[in-house]
Amino acid sequence: MRHAWGILARRALALGVLLATGVHAQPAPRLIRAHGRYELEVGGKPYLVLAAQVNNSSNYGAMLPQVWPAMRAIDANTIVMPIAWEQIEPREGHFDFSFLDQFVRAARRHHLHAILLWFGTWKNGGPGYTPDWVKLDNRQFPRVVNRQGRPMPSLSPLAHATLAADRRAFVALMRHVKAIDPQHTVIMVQVENEAGTYGCVRDYSARADRLFDGPVPVRLRRALHLGPGTWRELFGAKAGEFFHAWNIARFVEKVAAAGQAIDPLPMYVNAALRDPLHPGPPVTYESGGPTDDALGVWKAAAPDIGLIGPDIYMPDSARYRRVLQLYHRPDNALFVAETGNAAPYARYLFGALGHQAIGFDPFGIDFTGYTNYPLGAHVVDAATLAPFALEYRLLRPMQSLLARLSFAGRLHAVAEPDDGRAQTLALGRWQANVTYDMPMFGTTARTHRAVPDGGALIAQLGPNEFLVTGVHVRVGFSLAHPRPGEYAQYARVVQGRYADGRWRFMRIWNGDQTDWGLNFTSIPQVLHVHLGTY
Ligand code: DGJ
């Protein structure tokens, strides 16, 4: 969708790097949009991010030996790694990228792409990852103050010095990434982490109060189709929260834009969520972040942020589904920026794909011995990762095809709901009937398992042809609107596998294997299903 000259310039640049370094330069990753759908392109091809995010303090060389075995165990194609401001600029103006160098080289050796998380001014709302010359200097880098004038554990987004310092560090980071990574091992960058403030709706400093009493910026009004007015006049009870969201998002936008001017990688932010079904007042969640109610404010403020990804630590299927719906918008590519690493979360990869997700990223994936239970699993070992690994192993060989089909609007997928009820997927002339807890033979449902763990994926390859796969699920097909006397039948059900993007025939399923529907277990199996009628 970029102009042809842009594409030629990119290719010429890549060739230049290739000649200069002898390294195989790749086209830069980019997020493209068409018809309200999105595709992440890596190496010039569609890419589905099957990621794993390490624990918060695993961004040191000493920890990497406990990281790589976990990446292998889960079979991710992308590792998600924090890069902390305190780590790269321990003394003001003196940068140290030794960990980044070591990490990117090692990621390549492990055949992984990488996403970097910029832990700067905000990490879960706080300045914990800023260098001590920032976090200890409240005069130069002031904090949000509450109504009573008490400083909060969160930096003010209105301080020019904080923005200037964060932006300078981020630019240095991106300059370094560009210099060491012509191969584009790094495919995306998250700017800040769960930006916002806990325990206080906005900054109540004198400067903030003055701005708050002033007019809402024109850019925001235009985006929201509002006439002139103050924050209170235009947003009522939401005024404080939206004011804070605007200021944080503008800060993040300026950091991201400066970084992108150096290295135009896709950049995104992650969101600490509010309850998607019963949201309370702003003080009950992180205020100023891209919560679902503030997405319009963030979109208007931060055009260089390619997407806003939810961090989903809600294991129940009703809330999980609602979050996927809220962040899957024509103006926002869905990327599950974090999710729990406990078994019930694994199946939501299918739910996310059903919402055209460009990727999925369970959190806390390393063998350093830390676990974030109750958000995630009690123990993180190969057995914990097995449900995720099963799905990643199933989908990885066809990840590019799936990303392409998703972009074309041909991918359908569902995760098992908590109550195990059956689901129906509309597929034009056909419909798929998805059931859980079935035996492979017959129709007597088994007793319900302790943890719902099923998911199905169906991609339309032709009018009567489908790619079908899943885990712990039965899929059947019927005609959506049969004419009298018209009945559905399988013309052919072929099991195969994808290798190097090509479909390899294995066998035809028939008899018991199709009589009761197409049953997927914990064995990775992929089918091409040709339907017909009689
Ligand atoms: C969400 C944050 O983004 C993560 O870095 C981490 O702190 C988890 N919460 C909790 O483990």
Side-chain angles (χ1 to χ4, degrees):
M1 290 182 331
R2 289 201 179 158
H3 194 276
W5 282 112
I7 294 170
L8 283 178
R10 269 152 42 94
R11 291 202 179 135
L13 187 71
L15 184 66
V17 173
L18 176 72
L19 294 174
T21 61
V23 164
H24 290 282
Q26 293 282 341
R30 57 184 193 147
L31 186 65
I32 53 178
R33 172 187 168 170
H35 314 297
R37 291 191 293 271
Y38 292 84
E39 178 179 285
L40 180 66
E41 224 182 65
V42 172
K45 296 195 202 108
Y47 187 79
L48 180 63
V49 183
L50 300 172
Q53 183 169 155
V54 302
N55 279 300
N56 282 171
S57 310
S58 297
N59 54 322
Y60 289 87
M63 295 298 112
L64 290 180
Q66 281 106 280
V67 165
W68 306 119
M71 293 298 139
R72 267 196 303 278
I74 196 171
D75 216 354
N77 62 12
T78 307
I79 176 169
V80 182
M81 176 62 77
I83 299 293
W85 188 358
E86 65 180 351
Q87 169 179 41
I88 64 160
E89 196 183 3
R91 279 195 302 134
E92 189 168 2
H94 293 83
F95 290 96
D96 173 358
F97 291 110
S98 49
F99 171 70
L100 181 66
D101 293 343
Q102 178 186 8
F103 166 66
V104 171
R105 271 197 311 269
R108 266 179 218 138
R109 273 202 308 278
H110 288 87
H111 307 288
L112 289 166
H113 282 292
I115 292 176
L116 303 182
L117 310 177
W118 172 235
F119 282 10
T121 298
W122 290 278
K123 160 64 174 84
N124 299 13
Y129 281 82
T130 63
D132 47 14
W133 55 268
V134 172
K135 61 172 155 259
L136 300 178
D137 185 351
N138 293 342
R139 215 177 45 78
Q140 222 198 328
F141 307 108
R143 285 162 186 261
V144 164
V145 293
N146 70 7
R147 260 184 219 280
Q148 290 72 40
R150 207 196 99 194
M152 302 301 289
S154 189
L155 295 181
S156 169
L158 295 170
H160 299 301
T162 312
L163 170 60
D166 187 320
R167 182 168 49 195
R168 191 184 55 211
F170 187 67
V171 163
L173 170 65
M174 294 314 298
R175 188 167 287 131
H176 196 80
V177 169
K178 188 179 170 73
I180 63 162
D181 193 30
Q183 301 95 321
H184 294 299
T185 296
V186 177
I187 56 169
M188 289 209 287
V189 179
Q190 181 189 288
V191 188
E192 313 294 344
N193 190 85
E194 293 193 348
T197 299
Y198 284 104
C200 183
V201 173
R202 67 169 174 93
D203 189 3
Y204 290 88
S205 64
R207 168 140 189 268
D209 277 350
R210 259 197 321 278
L211 288 168
F212 184 67
D213 289 335
V216 170
V218 178
R219 182 205 284 255
L220 179 56
R221 285 201 289 103
R222 287 222 178 104
L224 302 181
H225 310 290
L226 296 170
T230 65
W231 291 89
R232 251 192 229 95
E233 284 163 358
L234 297 192
F235 299 116
K238 287 279 183 194
E241 181 192 351
F242 285 3
F243 171 76
H244 201 39
W246 172 259
N247 292 321
I248 293 179
R250 289 301 296 154
F251 182 120
V252 172
E253 162 66 17
K254 287 171 192 158
V255 172
Q260 267 192 341
I262 305 290
D263 189 351
L265 288 177
M267 295 193 182
Y268 71 98
V269 296
N270 61 336
L273 305 176
R274 60 183 202 151
D275 188 312
L277 299 179
H278 308 289
V283 80
T284 60
Y285 51 88
E286 191 186 34
S287 180
T291 41
D292 66 83
D293 54 326
L295 287 176
V297 176
W298 270 79
K299 287 285 169 190
D304 283 293
I305 291 299
L307 69 89
I308 297 170
D311 292 352
I312 320 182
Y313 292 95
M314 300 168 184
D316 65 289
S317 54
R319 281 190 175 71
Y320 209 106
R321 243 188 67 183
R322 185 71 191 128
V323 172
L324 296 176
Q325 285 166 353
L326 289 167
Y327 284 79
H328 171 208
R329 311 176 5 148
D331 65 352
N332 193 55
L334 178 65
F335 172 55
V336 178
E338 284 178 36
T339 199
N341 59 11
Y345 288 100
R347 72 200 205 270
Y348 293 128
L349 169 57
F350 290 99
L353 291 174
H355 282 279
Q356 220 247 308
I358 63 152
F360 190 73
D361 178 28
F363 174 88
I365 312 298
D366 60 41
F367 294 154
T368 56
Y370 186 81
T371 87
N372 68 352
Y373 177 84
L375 293 187
H378 264 292
V379 179
V380 180
D381 57 16
T384 312
L385 303 184
F388 296 90
L390 167 62
E391 296 172 6
Y392 279 13
R393 238 157 246 155
L394 176 66
L395 303 186
R396 255 190 89 169
M398 50 184 176
Q399 58 84 13
S400 187
L401 172 70
L402 295 178
R404 180 161 68 71
L405 290 165
S406 177
F407 191 42
R410 288 160 171 253
L411 199 71
H412 309 266
V414 281
E416 180 176 354
D418 288 343
D419 61 6
R421 105 193 98 77
Q423 292 144 315
T424 303
L425 290 173
L427 305 164
R429 181 184 176 206
W430 304 98
Q431 64 182 26
N433 311 304
V434 180
T435 46
Y436 302 94
D437 270 357
M438 288 299 194
M440 285 191 261
F441 191 98
T443 53
T444 316
R446 293 185 315 207
T447 52
H448 203 68
R449 285 154 294 179
V451 176
D453 57 2
L457 180 151
I458 301 174
Q460 186 134 20
L461 301 177
N464 302 312
E465 186 186 348
F466 298 90
L467 182 162
V468 186
T469 190
V471 298
H472 307 127
V473 69
R474 172 182 287 185
V475 179
F477 288 89
S478 54
L479 283 156
H481 306 289
R483 288 194 301 272
E486 188 189 28
Y487 303 97
Q489 66 176 338
Y490 294 117
R492 201 158 19 102
V493 176
V494 182
Q495 183 189 353
R497 63 191 176 85
Y498 281 93
D500 307 323
R502 283 184 45 222
W503 174 246
R504 312 279 162 100
F505 173 92
M506 288 168 70
R507 62 170 173 163
I508 289 183
W509 277 20
N510 212 332
D512 286 351
Q513 280 66 49
T514 57
D515 288 348
W516 304 102
L518 309 172
N519 293 288
F520 297 91
T521 60
S522 50
I523 303 168
Q525 289 173 321
V526 184
L527 305 176
H528 275 197
V529 176
H530 303 256
L531 300 174
T533 53
Y534 62 94

